[in-house]
Amino acid sequence: MINLIIRRLTTALSIFPTITNLLELILPLTGLTILLLFIGFQSDFLKLHILEKSWQEIVKIIMFSFFIPGLSEEIVFRVLFLPHPTENPLLKTQIIWMIISLVAFIIYHPFQGLTWNPGAREVFINPNFLILAALLGVICTIAYLISGSIWLSVIIHWLAVVIWIVLLDGFAKFNPPFALHFVFNFLLGDNHFSRV
């Protein structure tokens, strides 16, 4: 099992998306992104609102979000759960693991809000958030399975989080605003990262 995990991780990290991968992904990713935005704006979960923070704080959010949740969640919910395309899994096996991965990805968010990140509880148990998270999970899964590379799904996940937090009022949904401010302080060494 450990060997399988190491092989999946090293393979996913060492493969980079090709132009062909990007061309194959344009249509499904565009369609799912439009659906995600439509649901988000129709439900009022998303709204245009540019985060009013210093450029330094916004840069920190952008940098931090690449690693958490971007890289960390993609390693867990795509690379570790899903058979890598080089394993040539049966379609049935791939679909079963895609469903397990997606369900785990969705459940992880309310679990996080109810345990170690209580400031995110209200947003992470919100049905609109969970629908959008599911769509993001589908988008990242498709990107990973088509490219065989973790990097494309990481970039998609990272951009989605950054756009939500910085441009679509995501920051304000956490209590206190951006519940992980203490993580920014700890990891980035800024003891006065402002909360509001």
Side-chain angles (χ1 to χ4, degrees):
M1 182 61 144
I2 298 296
N3 288 338
L4 176 65
I5 290 170
I6 292 170
R7 187 171 62 248
R8 283 184 180 175
L9 188 57
T10 55
T11 304
L13 288 168
S14 64
I15 293 175
F16 294 93
T18 65
I19 298 296
T20 304
N21 296 148
L22 297 175
L23 293 173
E24 291 172 337
L25 288 166
I26 286 175
L27 191 57
L29 295 187
T30 301
L32 286 167
T33 301
I34 289 169
L35 179 61
L36 187 148
L37 291 171
F38 176 77
I39 291 170
F41 282 110
Q42 281 295 112
S43 66
D44 286 329
F45 187 80
L46 301 178
K47 60 182 175 183
L48 282 176
H49 181 264
I50 297 174
L51 181 61
E52 296 175 11
K53 293 284 180 192
S54 70
W55 69 268
Q56 295 96 331
E57 288 176 327
I58 290 175
V59 167
K60 287 179 184 180
I61 290 169
I62 291 168
M63 288 171 38
F64 179 77
S65 298
F66 181 83
F67 297 99
I68 300 173
L71 183 62
S72 62
E73 289 184 11
E74 291 308 307
I75 286 173
V76 172
F77 297 106
R78 256 49 80 187
V79 176
L80 300 185
F81 272 84
L82 300 172
H84 191 271
T86 58
E87 296 172 31
N88 296 316
L90 296 173
L91 181 59
K92 180 181 175 182
T93 302
Q94 196 169 42
I95 290 171
I96 289 169
W97 281 107
M98 286 168 60
I99 292 168
I100 292 169
S101 167
L102 186 59
V103 169
F105 180 67
I106 295 166
I107 291 172
Y108 163 77
H109 289 88
F111 178 75
Q112 180 188 152
L114 295 168
T115 55
W116 71 87
N117 191 3
R121 186 183 73 230
E122 293 306 313
V123 69
F124 284 173
I125 63 172
N126 182 313
N128 294 313
F129 172 83
L130 296 174
I131 290 168
L132 299 180
L135 286 170
L136 178 62
V138 169
I139 292 168
C140 290
T141 298
I142 291 169
Y144 176 66
L145 292 177
I146 286 178
S147 69
S149 170
I150 190 176
W151 300 113
L152 193 53
S153 60
V154 168
I155 289 169
I156 291 167
H157 196 149
W158 170 60
L159 287 175
V161 169
V162 167
I163 290 168
W164 177 51
I165 290 173
V166 176
L167 301 176
L168 299 176
D169 206 34
F171 190 95
K173 293 195 180 327
F174 292 88
N175 181 27
F178 204 59
L180 293 177
H181 69 279
F182 63 92
V183 177
F184 282 89
N185 291 339
F186 177 75
L187 292 178
L188 301 174
D190 182 1
N191 294 323
H192 54 275
F193 188 86
S194 59
R195 292 166 58 170
V196 181

